Amino acid sequence: MDINNYAVIMAGGIGSRFWPFSRTKYPKQFHDVLGTGATLIQQTVNRFKNICPPENIIIVTNKDYVGLVKEQLPFLQDHQILAEPIGRNTAPCLAYASYKILQRDKNANIVVAPSDHIILQEKEFENVIVEALQATEQADILITLGMKPTRPDTGYGYIQYIDEKKLRIKKVKTFTEKPALELAIKFIESGEFVWNAGIFIFNAQTIVDAIKKHLPEMDEVFTEGSGLYWTDKENDFINKAYSRCGNISIDYGIMEKSDNVYVMLADFGWSDLGTWKSLFENMPKNDDGNVIDGNVLTYDAKDTIIKTPKNKLVVVEGLEGYIVAEFDDVLMICRKENEQRVKDFVSDVKATQDKRFV
């Protein structure tokens, strides 16, 4: 384990595509979604136990979720939990963590990971991350992980790479965000594209230099915090700093604009668990192809995911290819093929219903 390795876990999202299970007050990263006895954020942090010291784990989350983070990760000290006053996408999130880490450790190498992904082969994940960290320790490069696609999925971003050498780390040629189905099919057929896993590895100085070059206004904001990070003045500074930050992703703001971006090909049983369909695909199924989590009786139901409170008996008859989800006074029944409409449901609920339902 290298004492200069740091893990930055992004845990501020609401996960609205996983509504009604994932809600504003209790997003999916704080749930035991898979029924393993550990929440998604607990599983995520546990993957880094052999990669970096526990004191080098940084959680970036919304200020409203600090209590949940402390409750589920009680070993963390307050300075390891970065509280964002408002959501500003991933670029400010990573800038905050990187400028803070760099102030303490000029040799820091950072891996950034979302808090709500599934990794089935954790040892292979560990091997990949260690190899990537060793690469960023030796060269000023930005690495993103690319997953071998198994289908032409329109819900993922795609990375095209240049396959000049038989190496696992390859130069990135293009990024494409969530293509139409026809284009996704062409990507798969070409063999030159991988899914963008949203997991990044870089040296702290390298990412700060990239922010300075491509997002100079953001660099100015977080540079002003020099000397305030790791002190009792940090929170007040961040509360003011975030109001000056634009809403921009690290992919668009940095990765797509930099010429030192590489993709590391990996295959460790990854899913971003972003939708009900992805949960269905990653959960064990009964003889009728159903995923059931709750006290449920089914009759002639097939290819359906049912996730309901265990203290309520639910009877389902005749459904095929559906999502049946209940949590905290909200019941949703929706065809699996129409799961992208969940965002519309949430939008309509916000506009017409009590805010407790979102």
Side-chain angles (χ1 to χ4, degrees), residues 93 101 115 119 144 164 203 209 217 234 301 315:
C93 164
I101 291 170
S115 59
I119 306 293
T144 181
E164 296 177 341
N203 180 276
D209 289 344
E217 293 179 354
E234 179 179 326
V315 180

Side-chain angles (χ1 to χ4, degrees), residues 286 288 290 292 294-301 306 308 312-318:
N286 63 16
D288 294 317
N290 298 319
I292 296 177
N295 187 11
V296 181
L297 295 176
T298 59
Y299 302 86
D300 300 319
I306 306 167
T308 54
K312 179 179 291 188
L313 174 63
V314 176
V315 180
V316 175
E317 191 276 335

